Amino acid sequence: MPIDPITVEIIRCALKAAANEMSAVLKKTAYNMMIYEVQDYCVSIVDHQGRTLSQNEGALPIFLADLGVAVEDGITVYGVENIRRGDVFLVNHPEICGQHLNNMVVYTPFFWEGQLLCFLAVRAHWIDVGGASTGFGSSMTRDVYEEGLQIRSVKIYSAGEPNDEVLRLIEDNIRFPESSLGDLRAQIAACRTGEERLEQICRKYGGERFQEAVQTIWDQTDKLVREAVRAIPDGIYQASSFLDDDGKDFSKTVPIQVKVEVAGDNLTIDFSGVSEQVPGFINCGSSGGMAAARVAFKALTSPHGEVNEGSFQALKVILPAGKLLSARRPAPIGGWSLSLPTVLDTILRALAPALPQQIPAAHKGDMGGYAIFGTHPKTGRRYVCQNIMGGGWGGRPFEDGASAAVSMCQGDVKNTPIELQELYYPLLYERHALRADSGGAGRFRGGIGVEVTVRPLCDLFVSRNTDRIQCPPWGLSGGADGMTNLTLIKHNGKAEKLPGKFSHILVKPGEMVTFLTAGGGGYGPASQRDPDALRRDIALGYVSEEKAKKDYKGTGVMERWNNGVLE
């Protein structure tokens, strides 16, 4: 008998619940704030062919359904016949995962009645993996070997027994082994939780029914996605932009050109026009490039739908090897994520003529992080403080852009509260506020960026990697560009502007560093702005009176505003 729809729905919800419970276990047991506060991780259930069964809600979009490549590699290395219950695999290899080496993947097999059905996989950001840089990827690295340990699908547990030699090797080559190995145990605990939940499902329905339900779920998701693709007018759409530099050669921009073809219920994203891989650290592997395409596709076709393999069967990605988004080893990839928000913006820009009521203006266009590290004066121990900052999203065809939000690649990632950072690290935060005037003017204003000022209580080092300073978040349909990222260091009463990408800048007590994030581009002509909306922006401090006069005077908005404040 074919599987009934009620059973399919129960198994669908059970898979989602299993992934979400794995996520909760990871957050409650992880050691570093990038996991339990920022939520820089992803949990997936994938089959032995690397196809996604389910993914936790709130996972980073840039990790969309891309944990399958890690599982496929483990099967290639060991063979299905050599994978056993109790095995635990660890991988971050750039040719497999395509991301900076801090993003470690742990996965375990699930067997039912002696048959390998699927794997439980967790990717999480470790605060350190060795190499030349502390914290996020350094713009000073020349190849991936300087960026830390590279691990290709190694069994760290074999049939339930730990591989002490490999674990000791990892421990001796990273700066914060207590944190990273604690996170490793948290990832394993999450996988074990997933195994228990899958066992409950299979005990109730059996392995064959389980697999049949999964195939039905994929088919149903694919059908809904293809309906959304058919709603996009057929055609070939193109757009281009660029990155400021590769972090090494500041005299050259890095071109981004994409082509999107819609034909019936299939959509193709072609990255052939993207820059070749560069000497600097902003490259990523093909998995990273594929993820950028999937983020755009998911946002266009099923933004509120579940994530499984059916979500992407209507998508084809053309990505030749050796590109910025498919770099060959040993290209440095520590800043792998820097280019992806711009790639995503460019894909949406290409489709703006086809979807004028759906596509927003450009958003802040970077991943918005910083790293502060040094030796704590009270404990004498080394520390690293990593955090994420939001910025402005582009104005939309129907409303203003979101403010203080992380990039579209980061989804539900959060910033760590400054109170927690001050508790753990020798830092004093002077300011954490919205950055007035940063959103582009328009009928619908771009979202507002963020301003963060930090004062060190002892000598420390600061790193930050940003982009889109020369290519600001663009407005759409007549909207103005948003303000760009900026970093300032203040010493001896004077503020000095720092480059967009810098690593290991020494900052002393009495000095201050200010991080300013970009605002979103505006949507539509400023002359169509609702005067009441402008009045509200000024009252809330989003827009200064001076900036309002500059952006809206002569547009008719001022004339319609009868209270005389800005006459």
Side-chain angles (χ1 to χ4, degrees):
M1 293 290 292
I3 191 167
D4 65 275
I6 294 177
T7 300
V8 171
E9 198 61 25
I10 291 172
I11 292 177
R12 182 202 308 273
C13 293
L15 285 170
K16 290 194 290 187
N20 288 334
E21 188 174 352
M22 291 170 66
S23 168
V25 169
L26 179 69
K27 281 202 300 183
K28 289 181 178 296
T29 55
Y31 277 51
N32 93 76
M33 284 190 282
M34 287 300 292
I35 298 176
Y36 65 76
E37 286 288 346
V38 175
Q39 298 183 187
D40 190 354
Y41 66 85
C42 172
V43 170
S44 283
I45 305 171
V46 299
D47 73 0
H48 63 284
Q49 297 182 47
R51 298 175 296 184
T52 302
L53 280 64
S54 187
Q55 184 168 306
N56 71 298
E57 296 174 353
L60 269 72
I62 208 60
F63 296 159
L64 266 177
D66 75 335
L67 287 174
V69 293
V71 169
E72 289 181 277
D73 182 64
I75 292 174
T76 298
V77 171
Y78 288 95
V80 174
E81 65 279 4
N82 294 315
I83 296 175
R84 295 174 172 79
R85 187 187 302 272
D87 288 349
V88 179
F89 300 85
L90 182 66
V91 58
N92 72 339
H93 200 277
E95 289 187 326
I96 308 304
C97 299
Q99 307 183 3
H100 68 171
L101 302 178
N102 297 71
N103 286 347
M104 284 283 188
V105 180
V106 170
Y107 60 96
T108 65
F110 172 71
F111 290 85
W112 180 251
E113 295 180 342
Q115 179 186 1
L116 176 60
L117 285 191
C118 58
F119 289 81
L120 296 308
V122 179
R123 170 181 281 132
H125 179 111
W126 290 13
I127 62 171
D128 190 77
V129 288
S133 175
T134 301
F136 295 116
S138 168
S139 59
M140 297 185 293
T141 54
R142 295 164 294 180
D143 57 41
V144 72
Y145 298 104
E146 294 184 348
E147 295 179 337
L149 287 170
Q150 301 173 67
I151 300 172
R152 182 180 175 190
S153 291
V154 171
K155 281 189 183 183
I156 53 172
Y157 279 73
S158 181
E161 295 298 320
N163 188 334
D164 293 326
E165 288 81 4
V166 172
L167 291 171
R168 189 166 61 248
L169 181 67
I170 295 171
E171 180 179 7
D172 290 341
N173 283 278
I174 56 179
R175 295 176 178 85
F176 306 97
E178 303 95 338
S179 173
S180 294
L181 294 181
D183 293 337
L184 170 63
R185 294 191 293 272
Q187 289 172 271
I188 295 172
C191 290
R192 297 299 186 218
T193 300
E195 292 172 24
E196 292 175 4
R197 298 300 168 260
L198 292 184
E199 186 172 337
Q200 292 171 352
I201 298 172
C202 290
R203 189 182 303 124
K204 183 173 182 179
Y205 296 102
E208 289 186 9
R209 268 291 193 251
F210 174 81
Q211 292 176 299
E212 189 178 353
V214 167
Q215 185 61 58
T216 302
I217 291 167
W218 288 343
D219 292 342
Q220 291 174 345
T221 303
D222 178 53
K223 181 180 179 181
L224 293 173
V225 168
R226 290 186 184 277
E227 288 178 3
V229 174
R230 280 194 292 271
I232 305 173
D234 285 0
I236 297 176
Y237 308 96
Q238 301 186 63
S240 61
S241 62
F242 62 90
L243 304 174
D244 297 339
D245 53 73
D246 69 350
K248 189 171 292 294
D249 185 348
F250 294 96
S251 67
K252 295 180 182 178
T253 59
V254 181
I256 303 291
Q257 184 171 344
V258 300
K259 181 169 68 174
V260 181
E261 181 176 358
V262 182
D265 60 3
N266 290 284
L267 187 146
T268 301
I269 297 177
D270 188 349
F271 289 135
S272 300
V274 170
S275 166
E276 302 297 316
Q277 67 185 66
V278 293
F281 76 133
I282 64 171
N283 302 287
C284 69
S286 58
S287 177
M290 291 288 291
R294 287 183 167 186
V295 173
F297 183 77
K298 185 75 166 59
L300 291 165
T301 59
S302 55
H304 305 295
E306 60 191 329
V307 176
N308 58 58
E309 200 64 27
S311 305
F312 307 104
Q313 291 177 357
L315 171 66
K316 179 183 178 182
V317 181
I318 299 174
L319 180 54
K323 294 287 184 178
L324 176 75
L325 305 179
S326 56
R328 295 185 178 95
R329 196 161 173 253
I333 58 169
W336 76 285
S337 60
L338 276 175
S339 61
L340 302 185
T342 300
V343 171
L344 184 56
D345 264 345
T346 310
I347 294 172
L348 297 181
R349 187 181 199 176
L351 287 166
L355 299 169
Q357 299 305 311
Q358 188 173 345
I359 302 299
H363 76 320
K364 72 189 192 84
D366 81 326
M367 301 295 267
Y370 63 80
I372 299 173
F373 58 93
T375 301
H376 202 296
K378 292 184 178 179
T379 64
R381 300 182 65 181
R382 300 172 69 171
Y383 70 90
V384 55
C385 169
Q386 296 173 305
N387 201 11
I388 299 294
M389 296 176 292
W393 282 33
R396 289 164 276 198
F398 47 85
E399 65 181 350
D400 293 346
S403 298
V406 296
S407 81
M408 286 185 276
C409 295
Q410 294 169 295
D412 289 342
V413 161
K414 300 173 174 61
N415 65 289
T416 301
I418 59 174
E419 294 84 0
L420 200 58
Q421 295 179 72
E422 289 180 334
L423 178 66
Y424 280 92
Y425 311 116
L427 307 171
L428 179 64
Y429 283 83
E430 299 279 347
R431 183 174 178 82
H432 189 183
L434 292 174
R435 182 188 182 188
D437 297 334
S438 55
R443 179 183 181 186
F444 297 109
R445 173 185 43 75
I448 307 300
V450 170
E451 178 180 350
V452 177
T453 298
V454 58
R455 182 193 299 273
L457 301 180
C458 63
D459 286 359
L460 49 79
F461 294 91
V462 178
S463 300
R464 186 188 184 194
N465 297 315
T466 64
D467 209 280
R468 296 285 291 282
I469 296 172
Q470 298 183 55
C471 179
W474 54 78
L476 207 57
S477 298
D481 294 347
M483 293 182 69
T484 61
N485 292 297
L486 178 63
T487 307
L488 302 171
I489 181 170
K490 186 175 183 181
H491 50 83
N492 298 325
K494 296 182 179 180
E496 174 188 343
K497 181 179 177 181
L498 294 174
K501 302 174 183 68
F502 63 87
S503 298
H504 302 188
I505 295 290
L506 176 64
V507 184
K508 296 178 173 293
E511 301 177 337
M512 289 190 297
V513 177
T514 297
F515 306 108
L516 298 158
T517 67
Y523 189 95
S527 60
Q528 298 179 8
R529 182 73 170 164
D530 182 351
D532 287 336
L534 181 59
R535 182 185 297 114
R536 184 175 63 251
D537 284 347
I538 293 175
L540 293 172
Y542 297 164
V543 179
S544 66
E545 293 187 11
E546 182 181 355
K547 186 72 161 53
K549 290 178 182 179
K550 179 180 177 181
D551 288 342
Y552 295 96
K553 196 166 184 66
T555 63
V557 176
M558 295 302 186
E559 288 74 10
R560 297 196 301 272
W561 189 355
N562 296 320
N563 67 3
V565 173
L566 297 179
E567 292 295 338

